[in-house]
Amino acid sequence: VQLQASGGGLVQSGGSLRLSCRASVSIRSINAMSWYRQAPGKTRELVATIHSDGSRTYADSVKGRFTVSSDNAKNTVYLQSQSLKPEDTAVYYCHADLLTTFGDRYIGWGQGTQVTVSS
């Protein structure tokens, strides 16, 4: 199983981006799928999680600006970010804990996608 993250880029402060994380297998259900980020010189931090019951949790720093969602039919989780700030600049990683349609549990990371917000 691979997780392919995409959608990063360079955006001005106040702008928006939508990150995508697509699994290479069909998803039966999600236990949890999360987005993390790591800025230069900092530890990786949890940004947002979508849970098995559909509930969502967010870091305080992104509440009201970021939205995590999933589309199981497309095997994809999204992170819609808006009102971006320079401090959102980081490499963003997706993390999955899911069941495939084969009934296998997968836990793993996608590769990062760089988000750079200019002031």
Side-chain angles (χ1 to χ4, degrees):
V1 178
Q2 291 185 330
L3 299 177
Q4 181 70 41
S6 61
L10 174 63
V11 63
Q12 290 188 333
S13 182
S16 301
L17 282 174
R18 189 176 79 159
L19 306 183
S20 300
C21 177
R22 185 177 184 277
S24 61
V25 292
S26 295
I27 299 173
R28 174 186 294 179
S29 63
I30 293 173
N31 293 325
M33 289 194 74
S34 301
W35 287 93
Y36 288 75
R37 66 186 181 187
Q38 187 166 16
K42 295 188 176 181
T43 58
R44 192 171 295 188
E45 65 170 344
L46 178 61
V47 175
T49 300
I50 185 164
H51 301 275
S52 58
D53 62 357
S55 63
R56 306 163 191 183
T57 53
Y58 298 92
D60 287 344
S61 59
V62 306
K63 278 181 183 177
R65 299 189 298 120
F66 288 17
T67 302
V68 62
S69 62
S70 66
D71 185 340
N72 284 10
K74 295 183 178 179
N75 307 319
T76 302
V77 173
Y78 303 97
L79 185 68
Q80 178 69 49
S81 58
Q82 51 192 18
S83 302
L84 283 162
K85 305 174 182 180
E87 51 263 44
D88 294 318
T89 295
V91 179
Y92 284 70
Y93 299 89
C94 58
H95 181 271
D97 179 357
L98 55 84
L99 288 177
T100 72
T101 53
F102 297 104
D104 299 318
R105 184 178 184 182
Y106 170 77
I107 301 174
W109 293 91
Q111 93 291 1
T113 186
Q114 176 72 48
V115 172
T116 302
V117 184
S118 62
S119 57

